[in-house]
Amino acid sequence: MTIAPRIVGILLAIATAVGLARASIVPFSPHGEQAVLRLAWTARPERIEDCRQQSDEELQKLPAHMRQSVACVGTTATYRLEVRWNDEVILQQTVRGGGLRHDRPLYLFRDIPLSPGEGTVGVQFDRVESVSASPHRDRSSDEREEARHSTAIDDVRRRRELEERTRGREEAIPSSLSLERRVRMISHRVVLVTYDADLRTFRMVEDGPR
Amino acid sequence: MAVGSGIMLRIERLALRLLTALDAIVNRLYSARLNPLYQSGTIVVVLYLTIVTTGLWLIVFYRVAAPWESVAGLTANLWIGNWVRGLHRYASDAAVVATLVHAFRMFAQGRSWGARALAWVSGGLLAVLLFLCGWTGYVLVWDTFGERLAIEGARMFDALPFLSEPLARAFTGERPVPGVFFFVTLFAHIGIPLGMGVVFWLHIKRLERPLLLPPRALAWASVACLTAIAIAAPLAMAPRANPFVLPDQIPSDVFFAFWMPLTARVSGGTALTILTAGLIALLVVPVFTKRRADRKPLPSVVDEDICTGCVQCSRDCPYGAIQMIERAGRRSMLVARVDPDLCVSCGICAGSCAPMGVGPPGRTGRDQLAQIQAFVGSPERRRGEIVAVCCEHGAAAYRSSLAAEGAATWTTDCAGNLHTSVIELLLRGGAGGVLVLSCHPRDCWNREGPKWLNERVYHEREAELQARVDRARVRIATVAAGESGDAVAALRAFSAHVSALALPMRDRSAEIDAECERTPVGGRA
């Protein structure tokens, strides 16, 4: 092999290596100049249930580990989300719980691009179903019913059942939530609206944990 | 379904034309022995070893609890960190390129269907695993590019119905990304290469004597080149991932994120569908390249009355398609049996069988001799002329150039298919010399054709060229399909050499060995 092809070969190898290195850091611009309003939360939807007290006879027919003093059938609530930017509706969406039966927690994740500048963000999240399928139950009514019964379930189980029902109600997202806040949207920045399960309200975050 | 005669064959031919031209150029620059296009598969192995070695070093410094900070600390250290990380990255990129070249080569040469379909499909899976490995590797850094890859991956995953809680939730900024995410990603980044080992075993399962590494010079040159660029162009850290900042520009690696500009504009489900469709299209290539029954080369068959059970064909078969089985009451204890599912009809067994009892129908040693007898008996033949035996996949492309130089040309399916008795018969028929123009050893479509031909002609491998044949009148030259100039030069040199010899005597009777050298069963030549 003569020297000329060899030199060209070496130069080609160098050029290939440089090209390889360059191609591994090609700038990619997925975002425009806009700011983003991000809606992201997870919450347990309310249960809309028809509950009734099971009789001792019914409970006796069940295996011990399946006995529950109150039996409920029903579904989970549906919610309507509406987002406004300076009083203009920019998003309307129906939100349901996850899973085929929609009995899993509801999850929301939407990025809404907005032009940079100051404005008012309004987020409204309301339950669609106006009437519950079952009469409203609270802890005291549960306790009254529990006191009446029952010989088929021991006290420990009955108390645990009561606690579980109470916790389920308390963990569910409220039937109506809203947030209205003046905010400055900055180019290439994200403003997050999320649900705070401890405070049971919406929360706006303009910078957060890394 | 076999639609090999349609569009796919046309694409194959087009790809082959491109490949032939590229091969010729690269051969001129680096020589055939060091042509990286011939060695694309083995180069991937070298790069894989490089990636594993550098990865083991990098993992020592990586901290799941502080991914970006630990990588940034490593990158800031030019002596022990930066260039190793650079080499790790560039070797991964080069592995993608070499994989694509390898796949393109196999496709263009029609080596993607039939018995080779397993290698094609497993190769496709290896490419996917390599891709996932790169993906997880970039996510581990947790810079803006890693974050983007994670978000894109989560979007696609979330389109699947089996995740009750969306993965994308981890990257919205509601809470810090959990450490377990980086632990699982790290686990996948280490586990996937191990899985690649298993698939690689499948990839080469149907090959006998697979060549795993390129020539040492090429292997070291590849690593040295990547190391040099890693040192000369030190890596810089991209900004730390921050869910509240949308970076103006993300430094993305096109080898692993070429799809991102496309999928960034569509939903996760659509993106996943596009990538899955691409993968399926890759994996089903063998269905479309498979030759129609009337064009499909037939697998080798064994004439059991001729077979002496010498095991040579079994040894020489590059695909392990021939087994020796016991038989009773016949002329030998063993007889060759061809597995048609493994046979690619390369015909190398025909060249390996001294008594000519095995080979694809119409291409056995006996068939070759019959054709050669007609060839030497033709009135066009001149006493003392050079016969150039051309491999169908190489020198046959420029038979006319060789004929213009005064040589008679004869085409064989593969240099390894050529029976040495053909060479002898050509010389007895009055040829002044026989120049066999085989493909370069690392470019043989049937893997070992030139190697076995060389062994049979010069090193007495069964079925060897008989000692009575004047070796001065036989020469083997290796040329690629795009190297007509080299072939003509080889022919001229050989013609000049032969012209100094006396004119040969004509004796057109063919002698065929009825027996071949017996070697112990299971022994190696």
Side-chain angles (χ1 to χ4, degrees):
Chain A
M1 187 190 283
T2 58
I3 194 79
R6 193 169 292 184
I7 291 170
V8 174
I10 291 169
L11 290 176
L12 181 68
I14 293 169
T16 306
V18 171
L20 198 79
R22 284 285 178 86
S24 78
I25 47 165
V26 173
F28 168 56
S29 305
H31 314 289
E33 291 301 311
Q34 290 183 308
V36 163
L37 175 66
R38 176 173 295 160
L39 309 169
W41 62 80
T42 304
R44 192 172 291 279
E46 293 169 283
R47 292 283 300 168
I48 301 171
E49 295 177 321
D50 188 6
C51 297
R52 65 177 186 81
Q53 199 76 35
Q54 297 203 90
S55 66
D56 281 354
E57 291 73 32
E58 284 176 303
L59 291 171
Q60 291 291 358
K61 287 177 190 166
L62 295 170
H65 69 282
M66 291 179 69
R67 290 174 191 167
Q68 283 190 305
S69 56
V70 177
C72 297
V73 287
T75 182
T76 51
T78 310
Y79 297 85
R80 174 164 295 125
L81 170 71
E82 186 175 279
V83 183
R84 295 179 309 283
W85 172 244
N86 292 332
D87 292 330
E88 184 192 342
V89 176
I90 53 173
L91 175 70
Q92 274 187 320
Q93 183 181 340
T94 302
V95 183
R96 299 199 69 179
L100 282 175
R101 289 183 295 178
H102 306 292
D103 56 351
R104 305 289 302 155
L106 61 84
Y107 172 80
L108 191 87
F109 178 30
R110 286 294 295 261
D111 274 355
I112 306 170
L114 293 175
S115 300
E118 202 165 323
T120 305
V121 169
V123 181
Q124 191 69 37
F125 193 69
D126 296 317
R127 192 176 68 196
V128 172
E129 293 83 0
S130 55
V131 181
S132 171
S134 66
H136 178 69
R137 298 180 66 90
D138 57 18
R139 192 182 178 95
S140 58
S141 64
D142 279 338
E143 280 171 347
R144 278 198 302 277
E145 285 180 10
E146 289 299 325
R148 287 210 308 268
H149 286 86
S150 149
T151 55
I153 302 177
D154 64 49
D155 286 346
V156 176
R157 279 188 64 88
R158 194 179 305 126
R159 200 162 42 247
R160 200 186 307 151
E161 190 186 329
L162 176 65
E163 284 168 2
E164 277 173 14
R165 281 208 303 277
T166 308
R167 192 171 57 239
R169 268 196 300 275
E170 287 171 357
E171 280 180 353
I173 194 165
S175 57
S176 179
L177 283 170
S178 65
L179 176 136
E180 188 150 319
R181 184 80 56 84
R182 192 132 188 97
V183 64
R184 182 174 178 76
M185 302 300 294
I186 301 168
S187 178
H188 294 294
R189 304 290 291 194
V190 175
V191 171
L192 170 71
V193 175
T194 187
Y195 170 67
D196 189 322
D198 295 330
L199 300 173
R200 293 171 64 76
T201 183
F202 278 144
R203 180 166 60 95
M204 184 176 274
V205 188
E206 291 180 50
D207 202 348
R210 301 291 164 89
Chain B
M1 180 167 52
V3 282
S5 60
I7 298 168
M8 210 49 140
L9 273 187
R10 246 174 280 163
I11 298 172
E12 247 186 44
R13 273 198 293 270
L14 198 66
L16 183 60
R17 211 177 299 167
L18 176 64
L19 184 70
T20 302
L22 282 174
D23 276 346
I25 294 168
V26 179
N27 275 349
R28 202 145 299 287
L29 299 180
Y30 299 103
S31 80
R33 200 177 79 84
L34 300 179
N35 181 344
L37 300 181
Y38 289 164
Q39 310 281 347
S40 48
T42 54
I43 286 176
V44 177
V45 177
V46 167
L47 294 171
Y48 174 86
L49 295 175
T50 308
I51 295 164
V52 169
T53 309
T54 50
L56 286 173
W57 175 253
L58 294 174
I59 210 166
V60 172
F61 300 94
Y62 187 76
R63 281 184 295 136
V64 177
W68 188 85
E69 288 76 5
S70 58
V71 178
L74 192 72
T75 307
N77 189 325
L78 286 177
W79 292 105
I80 61 160
N82 194 297
W83 73 268
V84 182
R85 196 177 153 227
L87 180 56
H88 190 69
R89 174 190 282 208
Y90 299 143
S92 310
D93 293 338
V96 173
V97 176
T99 301
L100 290 175
V101 171
H102 187 58
F104 179 73
R105 179 165 216 93
M106 295 302 113
F107 171 76
Q109 294 184 339
R111 295 158 77 178
S112 58
W113 59 277
R116 286 147 161 169
L118 176 69
W120 179 270
V121 172
S122 56
L125 292 177
L126 280 172
V128 171
L129 291 175
L130 175 67
F131 186 66
L132 290 177
C133 212
W135 191 324
T136 51
Y138 275 113
V139 169
L140 283 176
V141 180
W142 206 235
D143 55 5
T144 49
F145 179 51
E147 182 190 38
R148 186 75 206 179
L149 282 176
I151 290 170
E152 290 295 322
R155 281 196 325 125
M156 291 184 221
F157 250 94
D158 290 345
L160 299 173
F162 52 76
L163 287 177
S164 64
E165 189 165 310
L167 203 59
R169 200 189 143 197
F171 314 117
T172 59
E174 288 176 78
R175 56 184 67 83
V177 179
V180 70
F181 168 74
F182 295 105
F183 179 78
V184 171
T185 308
L186 180 63
F187 186 78
H189 191 59
I190 296 168
I192 291 170
L194 297 177
M196 286 174 82
V198 177
V199 185
F200 184 69
W201 171 78
L202 268 179
H203 189 60
I204 58 170
K205 187 174 177 289
R206 289 188 172 173
L207 303 182
E208 290 288 307
R209 300 167 292 278
L211 284 172
L212 300 181
L213 294 172
R216 204 170 291 176
L218 183 59
W220 285 116
S222 305
V223 176
C225 207
L226 294 171
T227 308
I229 200 70
I231 293 169
L235 285 183
M237 281 299 286
R240 188 184 195 281
N242 181 348
F244 290 91
V245 175
L246 306 170
D248 187 22
Q249 287 191 329
I250 296 173
S252 73
D253 186 332
V254 293
F255 300 105
F256 288 97
F258 58 91
W259 46 272
M260 224 158 60
L262 176 69
T263 59
R265 299 179 201 288
V266 297
S267 70
T270 310
L272 185 65
T273 307
I274 292 170
L275 291 186
T276 308
L279 171 63
I280 292 171
L282 176 74
L283 296 184
V284 300
V285 161
V287 175
F288 294 100
T289 52
K290 188 178 175 184
R291 279 16 176 197
R292 274 193 340 217
D294 58 334
R295 294 188 179 197
K296 194 174 166 184
L298 296 170
S300 289
V301 288
V302 178
D303 186 335
E304 296 194 6
D305 291 330
I306 297 173
C307 179
T308 61
C310 75
V311 310
Q312 194 60 44
C313 56
S314 173
R315 284 182 186 147
D316 285 4
C317 177
Y319 301 98
I322 303 177
Q323 298 296 317
M324 302 306 295
I325 58 167
E326 286 186 21
R327 67 174 167 182
R330 307 289 288 270
R331 64 187 297 215
S332 67
M333 295 287 284
L334 297 173
V335 67
R337 182 66 46 87
V338 178
D339 183 343
D341 292 334
L342 298 180
C343 180
V344 303
S345 193
C346 65
I348 282 180
C349 51
S352 74
C353 184
M356 306 182 189
V358 61
R363 289 150 59 204
T364 64
R366 285 167 198 262
D367 295 321
Q368 292 176 38
L369 282 187
Q371 290 157 13
I372 283 293
Q373 268 169 335
F375 177 80
V376 297
S378 160
E380 294 169 20
R381 298 281 72 80
R382 287 176 289 109
R383 192 171 162 220
E385 72 181 345
I386 303 291
V387 178
V389 179
C390 306
C391 173
E392 189 183 32
H393 304 300
Y398 36 79
R399 283 175 67 174
S400 53
S401 303
L402 299 170
E405 292 289 322
T409 59
W410 173 262
T411 302
T412 181
D413 297 305
C414 173
N417 177 221
L418 184 71
H419 201 282
T420 51
S421 295
V422 167
I423 298 173
E424 184 175 352
L425 187 55
L426 282 170
L427 292 173
R428 285 188 184 197
V434 176
L435 174 66
V436 185
L437 295 166
S438 81
C439 298
H440 293 295
R442 289 277 182 136
D443 187 35
C444 176
W445 289 33
N446 301 313
R447 299 188 56 238
E448 296 181 323
K451 182 170 91 174
W452 291 155
L453 175 72
N454 201 56
E455 294 266 314
R456 289 169 195 153
V457 171
Y458 297 115
H459 302 288
E460 297 189 354
R461 187 180 186 86
E462 202 70 37
E464 74 277 14
L465 183 65
Q466 296 299 309
R468 56 184 173 257
V469 178
D470 182 4
R471 295 302 194 274
R473 295 187 182 277
V474 180
R475 184 169 290 180
I476 300 172
T478 57
V479 284
E483 294 177 327
S484 61
D486 290 356
V488 168
L491 175 64
R492 284 178 184 162
F494 185 56
S495 296
H497 167 76
V498 169
S499 62
L501 306 173
L503 275 179
M505 298 299 291
R506 274 190 169 163
D507 171 12
R508 288 179 186 163
S509 61
E511 280 186 27
I512 298 172
D513 275 3
E515 297 289 339
C516 54
E517 247 173 63
R518 298 291 173 99
T519 44
V521 177
R524 292 276 161 185

